[in-house]
Amino acid sequence: MKLLELYKPFHEMDVSAFSKELILILRQNKDNNKLHLMRLRRNISQTDLAFLSCVSLRTIQDYEQNRRDIRKASSLILYNLAKSLNCNIEDII
């Protein structure tokens, strides 16, 4: 369905312009990473997650905005985040 929605604004673009727009769209979707999505599903704010997990708010923000790679987080941080979100570690990385 999303692809069909792109037809009208992009159907007259040349291939290079279309590919640039598509890359921007994919980057925006990438920003919605697994930690972010899981937190939203649980209806927990970043501040609440920081409190529950004992992980700093700044660290959570960095993971969600892909400024830090959550796959390189310590096992304790991953465990605390997953436990606070009531999910498996695999669900957030």
Side-chain angles (χ1 to χ4, degrees):
M1 189 64 175
K2 285 253 187 207
L3 196 55
L4 292 175
E5 293 170 7
L6 296 177
Y7 177 76
K8 187 171 182 158
F10 299 138
H11 75 280
E12 293 181 356
M13 286 184 179
D14 65 38
V15 174
S16 63
F18 175 76
S19 63
K20 286 179 186 176
E21 289 296 322
L22 187 59
I23 288 169
L24 287 174
I25 291 169
L26 291 173
R27 283 186 182 151
Q28 288 171 351
N29 287 335
K30 182 181 177 187
D31 290 341
N32 293 328
N33 65 26
K34 290 182 178 184
L35 175 62
H36 177 77
L37 292 174
M38 189 59 67
R39 183 179 60 76
L40 292 178
R41 284 184 190 142
R42 300 293 189 253
N43 199 23
I44 297 175
S45 70
Q46 288 179 337
T47 304
D48 290 341
L49 181 57
F51 176 77
L52 292 170
S53 65
C54 298
V55 175
S56 76
L57 176 60
R58 176 54 115 190
T59 299
I60 292 169
Q61 291 169 337
D62 286 348
Y63 289 143
E64 288 193 8
Q65 295 172 6
N66 296 318
R67 289 190 300 242
R68 280 192 193 180
D69 188 353
I70 195 167
R71 295 171 298 175
K72 295 180 181 177
S74 72
S75 56
L76 181 60
I77 287 177
L78 292 173
Y79 173 78
N80 287 343
L81 288 171
K83 183 177 178 185
S84 300
L85 291 169
N86 195 25
C87 67
N88 296 318
I89 290 174
E90 295 83 15
D91 296 332
I92 59 174
I93 58 172

